[in-house]
Amino acid sequence: MSVESIRLSVLWNRLIATVDEAANGLVRSCYSPNVREYHDYCVGVFDRKGRLLGHSTHTTSGFIGVITPLVQDLIRIFSGAMNPGDVYITNDPWMATGHLLDVTLARPLFHRGALVGFAVCVVHHSDIGGRMSDIESRDVYEEGIQIPPLKYLDAGKENDGVVQLLLRNVRTPHKVNGDLHAQRSALHICERSLGKILDDYPGETIEGIADRIIARSEESMRSAIRSIPAGTYRSSLVLPPIGRHPHPIPLVLAIEVGQDRIRLDFTGSSPEIAAAVNSPINYAKGYAYYALKQLLDPHIPNNDGCIASFEFFAPPGSVLNCTRPAPTWGRSVVSHYLPEMVFDALSGVLADRVIAVCGSAPASSVVCRGRRYDGQDFLALQSDKGGYGASANIDGKDCLCYPHNVANIPIEITENDSAVVYLRKELLCDSGGPGRRRGGLGQVVEFKVAEGSIAPIGDVILVARGSPRGEDSLCPVNGILGGKSGRGTSLELNGNPLAHGSTSRLKSGDRVRLELPGGGGYGDPRERESERVIADVRDGRVSIEAARTDYGVTIDPEALTHHLAEA
Amino acid sequence: MQRVDPFACALKTKIGQMTLRLGVDIGGTFTDFVVIDEGTGAITVDKCLTTPRHPEEAILTGIGRMEARDLGGASFSADIVHATTLVTNAIIEGKGAATGLVTTEGFRDLLEMGRESRYYVYDLEPQFPQPIIPRSLRRTVHERTFVDGTSIPLDEDELAGIVRDFQRQGVRAIAVMFLHSYRNPANELRARDVIRTVAPDMQVSLSHQVVSRPREYERLSTTVLDAYIKPIISGYIDRLQERLDERAYAKSLSMMLSNGGISPIDIAKDYPIQLVESGPAAGVEAARYYGNVLGLDRVLAFDMGGTTAKLCLVRDGKVGRTRDFEVARVHRYRKGSGYPIAVQVYDLLEIGAGGGSIAGIDGLGLLAVGPRSAGSEPGPACYGRGGTRPTVTDANVVLGFISPASFLGGEFVLDGEAAACAIDIHVAAPLGISIEAAAWGILDLVTETMASAARLHLAEHGQDPSRCALIATGGAGPVHAVALARRLEVPTVVVPPMPGVMSAFGLLVARRSFEISRAIRIPFSGVAIPEIERMFGEIEVETRARSGITGQMVIERYVEIRHVGQESAVEVEISGNWEGAATASAALDGFGDEYERRYGRRGDGGPLEISTLRVAVAAESGCEQKWSAIQPEHALPRSQRTIRFGEKSEAVAVIQRGALAAGDEVVGPAVIEERESTTVIWPGDRVVVDASSALIISVGLTT
């Protein structure tokens, strides 16, 4: 047992290094900023039963508990016909990661002729055809080409028919094809390096390693669950109407904590709606499990043992368990709220661990497409972030992605690749939710369609979605345990409000402005140390006015100037 | 691969003229000195305690000591090459100057926003380093440069006002970062003139000069750090120069940059951020030198000290470079938790595994080692300075790898009891195993941590460890090298002489070199491209001229090839003439070979392009001195002690390194001790002492 604890530690480290090596290969050989800059991907390895052993350290967050049923479906579909060198492909939202843009490649891993496991690489592609309308599609057929589970490579040979059909249906065939190749590279690296581990440890099998990793992780999670008093914890939220759906969208959660199990029950949540924000169950489950993992046992590298004690229920046909052919393009618009519901429900019993709501939930999305001054077609994605929620110990970080985890695309990269010119990207004063610990600041972003020598040829099509979470909206960026809401939210075109998720045609010089809210505060703002408030005012994060009204700290502007001179 | 024999090098010194060359490396604790007398070939090594407030003091002290020993005759005078950790330490400790930022209107906060993502996805309270420049000292001016190079001119009056404000607030350095300045630097250059007019003493860093490429956050971060350390570094260099001049100690003074280049001190003063990895780069230079001397075409340089281990691949005498580097990570060794630095540095891997790495049991009941380190204060439990947590060094003491009595030549006696006790309490008892088994586990795990990182590093370069040789340096390197080699299936380990002062030595054996690379975009299909030959010709003329190298030069040409649409490219060294088809076709083959090594196929099928041309020139040989092998002192005693290798205890010979002469052979198990390190030879391994006094260990491949 004890020597085993050393060996398992060694094997586990090596396994994660292997998946990270594969993720590096993906990033280094990719063709689109989605992977290179935005980092919207995941690489995972499984045993031959389809149990997840580990995934890349850098990953999009909401795939926990999602890629396992996906691999198990693929095993069922292709069992009996698996060959070394096979690679399977699908973007089925229900089977895979919730919308057509995410294309999954999976490979059975063979070692000395025997099937030993699977590797999966999911990438958010730059385009998948369809009307590219964010939340306006009425069904999944409008959202792009659907790829049922197929062989992309058959015993190492590319399935030309599949590739041709796919590339004919997307706007950026070169990038899509290139990123598929990069995914292939990642899977190749998984097989090569996992094989090396088996060579180095002749007595080991991937399945045997999985048994041990999963058993330990499961036990660890169970003991974390036991630290929460048994009982039912509740939270509910009402999201504002969106797009074609003119009604508020209720979400209702009951967390049933048992002896060493947790059941998440979303009974009472909205039925699926006419806007393309519905979530297939796996994707919704992913974000709920993600929050539990973060809260209860964050430091163990994730694997299927970590979620074995969780159960998820959302009524079939609901917005969190939608049925084909519901449109799902903007499924994050709803599912990104689930982590904060989990935190809210458990804030009474885990007060020192939960965080306030984050201003970047749900993730914003701004897509521009058109033709640059030099004749190149472009398709540019931007996603700027609101502030992070405060927690018991620290102020929230300014402008940080949560619960999603993707980077911003550099301004200079976007401007080089498109016909967009940024005018402003700055912190938004007073946007952080007041609290004993302050929420992180949100930001204001302003850009225009290029003019003069770099003006585009023709119109630019804009599909923009910011944050719907104003202070007086149905669901502000709430503070927690006495903390106040984060502030600041707007989406404007040439100074006029723009509906979230709508499509517009822009001319040269047209201006778009977004405000993304700060994170919620934690605890009573009147308990905040006055020196912290003064420091915030000096830094321009909090105004003198807000220092007085929110924190009860009166600051003499003269004294502040004097202070500055001394600094 | 040309084999260079140091003893066959021509003696370039004129008879009767003393020619000393001095390598000085300022580390966190010690300042190391290596002096080579090119006339006699004699090598002198010394160490002084580093003097952090006035680092030049230690240098003067060290030189004074050498002068007192009559090195170089009556008055000491040497060509001095210098490396330092001052830059990294100033950043980590937050000891740079008060710095202001001037940036494009509308973009005041890019420094603080960073890339807006989380580096560890399950951590609910992610921590980030404080921005180097607080918001109150980040100011914006009206100006804008666009992607096509057109621009809105700088508002000079507005800038002048900001500079006066900065002066009032005691700012000593200003970083200037304007969007797209890499495409048209006019506004940044104009800003510098305005700043100089208003504040002649102000230090200025311009982003396009520090990093001339897109990605504003990384360029900004690098420029800000450059400005932040500039007053300190230029002040230090001025004082050093002055003190050396007073005594006429330095015939010349140059510094090692992070990419292995040796540059005149004015470049180091103008762009001090280029010094960020100068010490580790010098260490890699030493490994590269030994690789050349010993005719090894694939070397894994392995340096292990108290808190970290560093690994770097040297292939065919060449070292990979990267612009993806970070300092001062708050979450140690997690990429994304530090300040990015986008200047070119040697692509070396830093791992949180050193002698001081702390072992314990994690929440899963599994053994964990590092990355937390006991450092030198309180240090490992066996140091007896108050450390109670078991470390890697404690495990080495328990297993007998390190002898408590002969550590640092016996000057510092270790407490073996304390080591065993710490391991017992924190590892052995909780796991219910013996202290020795626990110590072995610690060693096993730290070995795997390094091996995993090494595999990843090698895989990125498409290399197989079993074709490499490991060159071990640093205090802990020789202790762990064979274990690491066994784990990686590396067949050969080399422990050079003086493993504890390798960086200082590396400063003396680094070749003088210079290179220019030019970003281009030319479609490539494997056929002749005369245009490339013309461009290479131009770059070569410029590179030769600016290199400052006199005498014979080695010239190398490289192309970077990628698929259209990719950003990362594959570099191929290619020497032929691009007017002929053979060169292009060889380049295409080189690309295919490397792509296959990395990704399992020769390409993605799409069109290719050449994205970069690079010309590197170097002085023909870095080996301009004849130096003598260390003279053996056969009188040194041999002894025996018991060492545990896994389950087995073995009685092993303890040999003093000073007693070994060229040609001597040792069969493991054995330990070879010297003042600053111990080399552990495993059962069945064979050691041969090379003509250069290096230990060449053939590693048995059964573990």
Side-chain angles (χ1 to χ4, degrees):
Chain A
M1 190 63 189
S2 42
V3 176
E4 152 66 10
S5 96
I6 293 163
R7 168 173 274 210
L8 182 57
S9 201
V10 166
L11 286 167
W12 201 341
N13 280 355
R14 181 144 172 205
L15 193 80
I16 290 167
T18 292
V19 197
D20 283 339
E21 179 191 340
N24 279 352
L26 171 73
V27 173
R28 286 171 63 121
S29 61
C30 73
Y31 289 65
S32 77
N34 294 49
V35 177
R36 194 162 52 225
E37 309 287 350
Y38 195 59
H39 295 156
D40 200 343
Y41 63 81
C42 179
V43 183
V45 289
F46 300 77
D47 71 359
R48 61 180 178 174
K49 292 180 187 158
R51 295 181 299 172
L52 177 71
L53 282 89
H55 59 62
S56 45
T57 305
H58 191 101
T59 172
T60 309
S61 24
F63 294 167
I64 169 171
V66 176
I67 48 180
T68 296
L70 162 65
V71 168
Q72 290 179 345
D73 277 346
L74 293 173
I75 292 175
R76 210 174 43 247
I77 292 164
F78 292 102
S79 65
M82 284 185 197
N83 298 307
D86 276 1
V87 171
Y88 313 123
I89 185 170
T90 184
N91 70 343
D92 184 296
W94 284 268
M95 184 186 268
T97 54
H99 70 177
L100 296 177
L101 277 168
D102 286 349
V103 179
T104 297
L105 253 52
R107 174 176 181 143
L109 307 177
F110 286 82
H111 180 248
R112 299 181 194 277
L115 176 70
V116 295
F118 292 88
V120 157
C121 177
V122 187
V123 160
H124 177 125
H125 278 259
S126 49
D127 185 56
I128 200 69
R131 52 186 291 202
M132 280 211 76
S133 62
D134 197 59
I135 59 159
E136 292 173 326
S137 297
R138 275 157 295 201
D139 58 35
V140 71
Y141 302 103
E142 293 186 6
E143 296 190 309
I145 181 167
Q146 299 188 54
I147 312 164
L150 291 169
K151 283 194 175 183
Y152 169 70
L153 295 187
D154 192 348
K157 194 177 170 309
E158 198 165 276
N159 186 338
D160 198 45
V162 169
V163 174
Q164 295 301 326
L165 182 65
L166 172 60
L167 297 186
R168 181 62 64 87
N169 277 281
V170 300
R171 295 176 181 83
T172 52
H174 183 68
K175 282 196 169 74
V176 169
N177 198 28
D179 284 347
L180 287 173
H181 277 107
Q183 287 176 269
R184 243 177 98 174
S185 300
L187 299 177
H188 168 81
I189 293 168
C190 283
E191 184 169 70
R192 183 178 69 195
S193 303
L194 227 57
K196 193 73 173 53
I197 296 180
L198 295 176
D199 285 341
D200 289 353
Y201 294 88
E204 295 285 355
T205 62
I206 299 296
E207 227 172 309
I209 299 170
D211 283 342
R212 286 127 77 199
I213 286 181
I214 289 171
R216 289 206 183 234
S217 306
E218 190 172 337
E219 181 43 43
S220 174
M221 182 57 82
R222 282 185 204 283
S223 80
I225 293 173
R226 285 193 285 269
S227 71
I228 311 173
T232 302
Y233 302 88
R234 297 178 191 280
S235 175
S236 62
L237 209 55
V238 179
L239 314 187
I242 184 160
R244 205 185 299 283
H245 180 78
H247 311 292
I249 308 161
L251 297 178
V252 179
L253 166 65
I255 303 183
E256 295 157 22
V257 179
Q259 178 56 35
D260 46 15
R261 294 196 67 72
I262 288 187
R263 183 169 184 275
L264 301 160
D265 188 332
F266 284 91
T267 300
S269 298
S270 166
E272 60 190 48
I273 62 176
V277 298
N278 303 291
S279 236
I281 186 168
N282 283 346
Y283 186 78
K285 185 167 79 179
Y287 272 103
Y289 284 6
Y290 175 57
L292 284 177
K293 160 92 173 131
Q294 284 195 303
L295 207 49
L296 296 174
D297 202 7
H299 299 299
I300 291 172
N302 185 43
N303 63 79
D304 274 346
C306 301
I307 59 166
S309 309
F310 301 162
E311 203 182 316
F312 181 95
F313 177 79
S318 70
V319 73
L320 299 175
N321 184 4
C322 67
T323 48
R324 203 181 296 272
T328 66
W329 187 279
R331 84 273 197 239
S332 60
V333 169
V334 170
S335 284
H336 281 182
Y337 288 92
L338 303 193
E340 66 193 63
M341 294 181 75
V342 171
F343 299 153
D344 177 49
L346 296 173
S347 63
V349 286
L350 296 172
D352 55 338
R353 289 200 224 164
V354 293
I355 61 168
V357 174
C358 293
S360 54
S364 71
S365 162
V366 177
V367 178
C368 293
R369 60 184 209 265
R371 183 162 291 172
R372 282 156 44 95
Y373 71 100
D374 58 4
Q376 287 280 324
D377 287 333
F378 71 88
L379 194 163
L381 169 69
Q382 305 160 56
S383 181
D384 304 289
K385 281 78 175 173
Y388 199 76
S391 53
N393 303 310
I394 53 175
D395 290 345
K397 167 89 170 69
D398 305 327
C399 309
L400 187 64
C401 203
Y402 189 90
H404 204 24
N405 192 33
V406 293
N408 56 23
I409 296 181
I411 293 169
E412 290 175 343
I413 297 294
T414 300
E415 292 190 357
N416 268 300
D417 287 351
S418 70
V420 164
V421 173
Y422 273 81
L423 300 167
R424 194 172 175 206
K425 181 176 168 70
E426 273 177 342
L427 295 178
L428 193 56
C429 179
D430 285 336
S431 61
R436 187 167 60 76
R437 291 293 165 259
R438 178 180 46 69
L441 267 57
Q443 60 180 306
V444 54
V445 177
E446 217 175 328
F447 65 89
K448 66 175 180 182
V449 176
E451 297 174 285
S453 56
I454 52 172
I457 301 166
D459 291 348
V460 166
I461 296 173
L462 166 81
V463 184
R465 168 161 44 83
S467 171
R469 315 188 72 167
E471 251 194 310
D472 47 2
S473 74
L474 280 170
C475 60
V477 183
N478 289 318
I480 201 161
L481 298 164
K484 305 284 187 257
S485 307
R487 298 157 183 170
T489 178
S490 72
L491 175 62
E492 292 171 357
L493 172 59
N494 297 327
N496 303 312
L498 189 64
H500 293 284
S502 61
T503 305
S504 326
R505 297 188 86 85
L506 271 49
K507 305 250 178 265
S508 182
D510 281 349
R511 291 178 173 227
V512 177
R513 183 175 187 279
L514 287 104
E515 274 183 18
L516 297 157
Y522 185 108
D524 185 349
R526 303 271 160 169
E527 289 173 14
R528 186 167 174 81
E529 303 84 338
S530 58
E531 56 271 28
R532 283 180 192 259
V533 177
I534 293 167
D536 280 348
V537 172
R538 194 182 303 138
D539 251 6
R541 291 165 196 281
V542 171
S543 64
I544 288 181
E545 174 64 13
R548 191 171 52 76
T549 53
D550 290 332
Y551 295 95
V553 176
T554 308
I555 295 170
D556 174 8
E558 292 299 314
L560 197 72
T561 321
H562 179 63
H563 221 111
L564 247 179
E566 276 178 357
Chain B
M1 184 68 241
Q2 202 188 345
R3 195 188 147 107
V4 184
D5 184 346
F7 307 105
C9 276
L11 189 63
K12 293 189 175 168
T13 322
K14 286 185 192 124
I15 305 293
Q17 183 188 337
M18 283 298 179
T19 304
L20 295 184
R21 304 211 306 128
L22 167 64
V24 191
D25 175 37
I26 302 184
T29 313
F30 290 107
T31 299
D32 297 342
F33 300 82
V34 173
V35 183
I36 293 179
D37 182 331
E38 290 194 356
T40 64
I43 294 182
T44 309
V45 173
D46 204 354
K47 268 176 185 286
C48 286
L49 276 172
T50 294
T51 45
R53 291 175 63 86
H54 295 286
E56 68 278 10
E57 295 294 340
I59 296 182
L60 269 295
T61 306
I63 295 178
R65 269 168 29 184
M66 281 180 257
E67 195 170 37
R69 281 152 74 175
D70 248 8
L71 272 182
S75 62
F76 181 96
S77 176
D79 290 310
I80 301 177
V81 189
H82 183 23
T84 172
T85 56
L86 283 177
V87 168
T88 317
N89 289 351
I91 296 169
I92 290 173
E93 293 165 14
K95 291 190 176 147
T99 306
L101 169 68
V102 175
T103 192
T104 306
E105 186 174 77
F107 302 95
R108 180 180 183 185
D109 300 311
L110 298 179
L111 187 67
E112 191 140 4
M113 292 175 172
R115 295 298 299 271
E116 304 181 34
S117 70
R118 293 169 291 136
Y119 52 86
Y120 179 59
V121 73
Y122 295 108
D123 189 351
L124 256 185
E125 283 192 348
Q127 310 253 7
F128 291 85
Q130 284 296 316
I132 288 280
I133 303 182
R135 195 158 196 260
S136 54
L137 293 178
R138 303 197 300 254
R139 304 285 295 272
T140 64
V141 289
H142 188 69
E143 73 80 40
R144 187 65 150 91
T145 302
F146 300 100
V147 284
D148 63 348
T150 57
S151 66
I152 297 171
L154 171 73
D155 185 331
E156 300 186 8
D157 292 340
E158 189 184 12
L159 175 57
I162 292 169
V163 175
R164 282 189 287 269
D165 257 11
F166 279 165
Q167 280 181 308
R168 277 193 291 277
Q169 293 177 57
V171 164
R172 291 177 59 206
I174 297 177
V176 181
M177 199 294 290
F178 294 154
L179 289 176
H180 299 298
S181 61
Y182 59 90
R183 188 141 295 149
N184 176 2
N187 283 357
E188 283 191 359
L189 290 167
R190 190 67 209 123
R192 181 193 56 196
D193 295 344
V194 171
I195 296 168
R196 289 265 160 84
T197 309
V198 177
D201 294 333
M202 190 71 79
Q203 298 277 5
V204 182
S205 296
L206 303 182
S207 83
H208 78 277
Q209 292 180 342
V210 177
V211 181
S212 186
R213 50 182 63 211
R215 277 195 182 71
E216 64 279 357
Y217 172 59
E218 287 75 7
R219 190 167 79 248
L220 171 61
S221 170
T222 313
T223 307
V224 162
L225 290 169
D226 190 68
Y228 180 65
I229 55 173
K230 205 176 251 184
I232 295 182
I233 298 299
S234 68
Y236 160 69
I237 292 175
D238 285 344
R239 289 196 311 274
L240 175 63
Q241 179 93 66
E242 199 183 306
R243 296 289 303 274
L244 292 172
D245 285 350
E246 275 170 22
R247 313 291 301 267
Y249 280 154
K251 280 216 279 282
S252 68
L253 177 61
S254 47
M255 297 196 78
M256 170 138 300
L257 306 181
S258 308
N259 66 357
I262 294 177
S263 92
I265 50 168
D266 50 331
I267 292 189
K269 276 168 68 179
D270 287 347
Y271 307 106
I273 197 64
Q274 302 232 24
L275 298 172
V276 69
E277 284 281 273
S278 82
V284 172
E285 283 301 317
R288 166 153 90 168
Y289 171 80
Y290 273 101
N292 274 338
V293 167
L294 301 169
L296 304 166
D297 57 358
R298 285 174 176 80
V299 166
L300 191 56
F302 168 55
D303 179 284
M304 187 174 177
T307 48
T308 63
K310 296 188 182 77
L311 285 160
C312 184
L313 175 70
V314 185
R315 184 179 159 193
D316 294 330
K318 299 185 177 67
V319 186
R321 268 77 65 87
T322 177
R323 294 178 185 278
D324 188 9
F325 182 72
E326 271 182 5
V327 283
R329 288 179 175 159
V330 277
H331 199 308
R332 262 166 115 178
Y333 314 108
R334 278 221 191 265
K335 193 177 164 186
S337 70
Y339 302 117
I341 293 181
V343 296
Q344 196 182 52
V345 301
Y346 267 171
D347 187 6
L348 36 82
L349 184 74
E350 192 172 7
I351 311 151
S357 295
I358 293 173
I361 305 300
D362 70 12
L364 286 180
L366 297 182
L367 178 66
V369 180
R372 235 158 46 81
S373 170
S376 55
E377 291 294 335
C382 62
Y383 279 18
R385 292 184 183 170
T388 56
R389 313 290 296 192
T391 64
V392 169
T393 299
D394 292 310
N396 282 322
V397 169
V398 165
L399 296 167
F401 282 22
I402 296 177
S403 156
S406 51
F407 189 69
L408 274 184
E411 286 168 24
F412 184 55
V413 178
L414 302 178
D415 185 345
E417 286 283 308
C421 181
I423 290 177
D424 191 17
I425 293 171
H426 295 284
V427 180
L431 291 178
I433 56 176
S434 70
I435 295 173
E436 290 77 12
W440 185 256
I442 293 170
L443 195 73
D444 193 28
L445 188 55
V446 80
T447 304
E448 179 53 39
T449 302
M450 295 189 290
S452 280
R455 278 188 210 100
L456 193 59
H457 180 70
L458 290 171
E460 282 177 10
H461 295 274
Q463 291 300 314
D464 178 354
S466 66
R467 300 189 57 196
C468 297
L470 198 74
I471 297 190
T473 59
V479 183
H480 293 265
V482 171
L484 177 61
R486 284 171 168 254
R487 186 62 59 90
L488 286 170
E489 297 183 14
V490 165
T492 308
V493 172
V494 176
V495 182
M498 313 172 288
V501 292
M502 272 324 240
S503 288
F505 179 72
L507 293 169
L508 297 179
V509 295
R511 288 196 304 179
R512 248 167 222 278
S513 61
F514 185 78
E515 64 172 54
I516 294 178
S517 49
R518 183 172 297 169
I520 57 165
R521 285 187 74 169
I522 293 180
F524 177 58
S525 59
V527 300
I529 311 178
E531 191 187 354
I532 289 193
E533 187 58 33
R534 184 183 57 73
M535 293 167 91
F536 261 135
E538 284 171 16
I539 302 171
E540 205 172 295
V541 168
E542 190 185 344
T543 313
R544 280 169 174 274
R546 286 175 56 191
S547 70
I549 300 169
T550 49
Q552 285 293 74
M553 285 185 223
V554 179
I555 294 158
E556 288 157 356
R557 291 175 168 193
Y558 300 85
V559 288
E560 285 184 22
I561 304 173
R562 63 186 179 193
H563 293 99
V564 175
Q566 284 180 321
E567 182 161 291
S568 301
V570 168
E571 187 175 79
V572 181
E573 183 182 355
I574 197 84
S575 53
N577 187 317
W578 284 82
E579 282 164 0
T583 301
S585 143
L588 189 62
D589 286 347
F591 170 83
D593 291 347
E594 182 61 25
Y595 212 81
E596 182 158 28
R597 258 199 296 275
R598 288 186 193 175
Y599 308 123
R601 54 184 192 282
R602 298 188 65 81
D604 293 352
L608 299 173
E609 66 187 10
I610 293 178
S611 59
T612 304
L613 304 182
R614 176 159 78 90
V615 174
V617 303
E620 191 172 38
S621 170
C623 171
E624 290 167 1
Q625 69 288 337
K626 174 185 186 297
W627 46 278
S628 48
I630 291 164
Q631 288 306 309
E633 302 170 48
H634 287 289
L636 288 171
R638 278 188 177 226
S639 58
Q640 266 206 345
R641 71 170 179 254
T642 304
I643 285 190
R644 280 185 66 101
F645 292 98
E647 305 286 296
K648 275 193 291 187
S649 285
E650 303 250 6
V652 307
V654 180
I655 299 159
Q656 297 305 309
R657 183 155 187 187
L660 294 171
D664 282 358
E665 282 194 37
V666 176
V667 176
V671 291
I672 299 175
E673 290 186 338
E674 58 198 298
R675 188 177 180 279
E676 271 121 18
S677 192
T678 300
T679 304
V680 179
I681 316 295
W682 286 45
D685 297 344
R686 301 177 65 83
V687 186
V688 176
V689 182
D690 175 77
S692 64
S693 304
L695 307 176
I696 315 289
I697 307 165
S698 304
V699 178
L701 288 181
T702 48
T703 40

